[in-house]
Amino acid sequence: MTATEAKAIEEVLESLKDAEAVFIVGCGDCATLSQTGGEFEVKEMASKLEEAGKRVTGSVIPESTCHILDTGRLLRQNKEALGQADAVLVLSCGSGVQAVAENVDRPVKPGCNSLFLSVVQRLGQLAERCICCGDCIVDHYLGICPRARCPKGQTSGPCGGYDQGKCEVNKDQDCVWTLIYQRAEKLGVQPDLETVATGEEDYQKQAHPRARVFEPRRT
Ligand code: SF4
Ligand code: SF4
């Protein structure tokens, strides 16, 4: 899922300074889990905007706001409230914001910052695990990704700053190589580093914007 954080209300109000009436869009998927765009946060944002003198014309929470067609359908069902708004505030990741922008001819403002692709460790605890490099090699590292979990992306062993198992960039965090070797010991195997072409990443696979087009399976 995409981890997001809420923007400070001051920043949101600054971006909405020319809008008297605002329509809010949340997200029932990642932003709900991140507690940035679910039912509670949409209501809370509506109250804050009203306290600041804005008129909230309405709100919706699409199942997954990044789904352009579904979000568009929901927005069309709310076209009257949307039509009264001077701007649309979106509480979701940047993909959701842009999916809304593709569906409305109003200024669209982001209410969140997109942070990273994460696992959910437990409710309220998200951790980055993948930077979408386009060439997954975690099998060589026993299922632990050094590209995402080392601040330097070291794929060939710990850097010189490795200190008693901890990361030099963040001393509270285990070095990813500690995790890889602990797992190797547990599994009774060695990381398969020989076969990884270190330092030869195909950056073409990471060039933006990326897209994937495929024929959906119909069941
Ligand atoms: S190697 Fe790491 S960053 Fe790349 S796809 Fe796999 S998990 Fe994601
Ligand atoms: S100490 Fe380990 S995790 Fe931290 S930057 Fe160096 S190699 Fe990466």
Side-chain angles (χ1 to χ4, degrees):
M1 62 165 278
T2 307
T4 48
E5 65 173 6
K7 282 184 181 290
I9 188 65
E10 294 77 16
E11 187 182 345
V12 172
L13 290 175
E14 175 61 25
S15 74
L16 291 170
K17 65 178 187 299
D18 298 328
E20 184 271 318
V22 180
F23 187 89
I24 305 173
V25 181
C27 172
D29 202 341
C30 303
T32 290
L33 268 174
S34 282
Q35 299 190 347
T36 53
E39 219 171 291
F40 178 88
E41 294 78 28
V42 167
K43 275 190 192 146
E44 189 182 47
M45 179 57 76
S47 305
K48 285 182 180 170
L49 294 183
E50 280 163 0
E51 274 169 32
K54 311 277 182 202
R55 185 165 61 88
V56 175
T57 66
S59 64
V60 290
I61 304 180
E63 209 170 301
S64 299
T65 306
C66 57
H67 195 304
I68 293 178
L69 296 181
D70 287 353
T71 296
R73 263 190 291 276
L74 190 58
L75 290 172
R76 281 193 296 282
Q77 287 164 14
N78 287 269
K79 67 176 182 206
E80 203 175 307
L82 203 48
Q84 293 166 16
D86 303 312
V88 181
L89 177 66
V90 186
L91 305 183
S92 79
C93 72
S95 295
V97 176
Q98 292 175 70
V100 173
E102 289 196 31
N103 277 297
V104 300
D105 54 2
R106 290 274 184 286
V108 170
K109 311 288 182 180
C112 302
N113 297 317
S114 300
L115 299 177
F116 50 83
L117 204 57
S118 76
V119 292
V120 183
Q121 290 173 315
R122 53 178 64 88
L123 196 60
Q125 203 173 314
L126 311 178
E128 185 168 24
R129 289 291 185 267
C130 176
I131 57 169
C132 299
C133 72
D135 180 22
C136 197
I137 45 147
V138 288
D139 50 325
H140 299 290
Y141 304 96
L142 310 174
I144 296 173
C145 177
R147 286 178 178 157
R149 297 177 72 174
C150 164
K152 297 178 188 170
Q154 288 272 136
T155 51
S156 56
C159 69
Y162 172 94
D163 184 13
Q164 296 178 58
K166 296 293 178 189
C167 172
E168 77 160 320
V169 178
N170 179 357
K171 299 277 183 223
D172 295 333
Q173 180 178 292
D174 286 331
C175 167
V176 71
W177 289 93
T178 304
L179 303 176
I180 291 169
Y181 281 105
Q182 279 173 350
R183 185 156 166 81
E185 202 179 332
K186 197 171 169 188
L187 299 182
V189 295
Q190 279 296 310
D192 178 24
L193 302 182
E194 301 274 302
T195 54
V196 183
T198 52
E200 290 178 20
E201 288 186 35
D202 183 355
Y203 290 104
Q204 194 59 37
K205 290 183 174 165
Q206 299 173 32
H208 299 288
R210 292 179 279 184
R212 179 166 180 252
V213 179
F214 59 97
E215 201 59 50
R217 267 190 289 276
R218 304 279 176 210
T219 52

